[in-house]
Amino acid sequence: MNSPYGLSAECLACHQHSDRFFCALSHTSIHTFQQIKHAVVFPEDAVTFVEGQSPRGVFLLCQGQAKLSTTSREGKMFIQRIAKPGEVLGLNAVVTGKPYEVTVETMLPSHLSFVDGEDFLRFLERHGDASLRAAQQTSRECQDAYEVVRSIGLSHSISGRVAKFLLEAAAAGRVSNGAVHVRLVLTHEEFPS
């Protein structure tokens, strides 16, 4: 079964497999996950959930990209990172029972799978490979946060921070005819200062 944009709505039939989280689970775990998920397609620039909101569940990013950001008391937005297919969004909030710590907004038309928080926690209890993957993703997110803090806190110049930001973005870009193509969707306010 396909969803809008021709994306597969079935995990086992998906051609977008990555080595991240759910895409690398056992067939038994994926089959169980298939039973508790609800496929959703969001257009570009759609807000999936908002920082401070009580967690209702997790979203598995199946296809597309999502921007994870946080806002200061003064209203200044800081983009923490860009999520890629295979990542679970809202994982920390559902596991800890605390509000979502970031706002998630799609950057492209995106296919996500929603799982209710209680269903997700039961799923983790019954599937050790999913629990391990959840711990691995949480650890990666923690490591990424350390890198952001180092980048911002230890860089002495704006040009140094911009250069680091561009190099990291280029590492995930598409190479065509010897040039790296990167889609960078930032407003002037969002650009690192």
Side-chain angles (χ1 to χ4, degrees):
M1 178 171 83
N2 283 339
S3 65
Y5 306 107
L7 304 174
S8 175
E10 303 293 325
C11 294
L12 291 171
C14 180
H15 292 47
Q16 301 295 323
H17 280 325
S18 76
D19 62 352
R20 295 177 180 261
F21 207 75
F22 279 98
C23 298
L25 293 179
S26 69
H27 282 299
T28 303
S29 294
I30 290 175
H31 180 71
T32 302
F33 180 73
Q34 183 75 31
Q35 305 305 310
I36 62 171
K37 77 171 182 77
H38 305 280
V40 184
V41 176
F42 286 94
E44 182 175 347
D45 299 325
V47 175
T48 306
F49 56 80
V50 179
E51 174 184 8
Q53 180 182 16
S54 294
R56 38 184 216 281
V58 297
F59 290 85
L60 171 64
L61 180 60
C62 298
Q63 173 131 9
Q65 286 186 339
K67 171 176 59 176
L68 281 66
S69 63
T70 189
T71 307
S72 71
R73 290 184 189 155
E74 297 80 30
K76 189 173 183 180
M77 184 197 320
F78 177 76
I79 298 174
Q80 291 187 349
R81 65 186 184 85
I82 306 300
K84 303 276 193 274
E87 291 187 49
V88 177
L89 308 173
L91 175 63
N92 187 56
V94 168
V95 169
T96 63
K98 303 217 181 224
Y100 291 122
E101 63 276 355
V102 295
T103 295
V104 174
E105 182 179 350
T106 59
M107 297 174 65
L108 305 167
S110 299
H111 173 215
L112 295 101
S113 291
F114 174 77
V115 178
D116 174 77
E118 291 179 17
D119 290 341
F120 183 74
L121 292 174
R122 277 191 297 273
F123 174 73
L124 290 180
E125 286 176 3
R126 295 177 183 147
H127 296 272
D129 58 335
S131 294
L132 177 60
R133 291 286 179 170
Q136 289 170 335
Q137 179 175 321
T138 302
S139 296
R140 272 194 305 272
E141 289 174 4
C142 185
Q143 187 64 39
D144 290 346
Y146 291 152
E147 285 302 316
V148 167
V149 169
R150 278 189 205 99
S151 171
I152 292 171
L154 299 178
S155 181
H156 299 292
S157 69
I158 292 173
S159 60
R161 288 186 288 212
V162 169
K164 182 170 178 36
F165 178 79
L166 291 174
L167 284 171
E168 289 172 356
R174 176 180 49 87
V175 178
S176 174
N177 296 328
V180 177
H181 299 271
V182 177
R183 181 180 168 135
L184 184 61
V185 184
L186 297 174
T187 65
H188 179 69
E189 291 80 24
E190 295 170 332
F191 203 77
S193 57

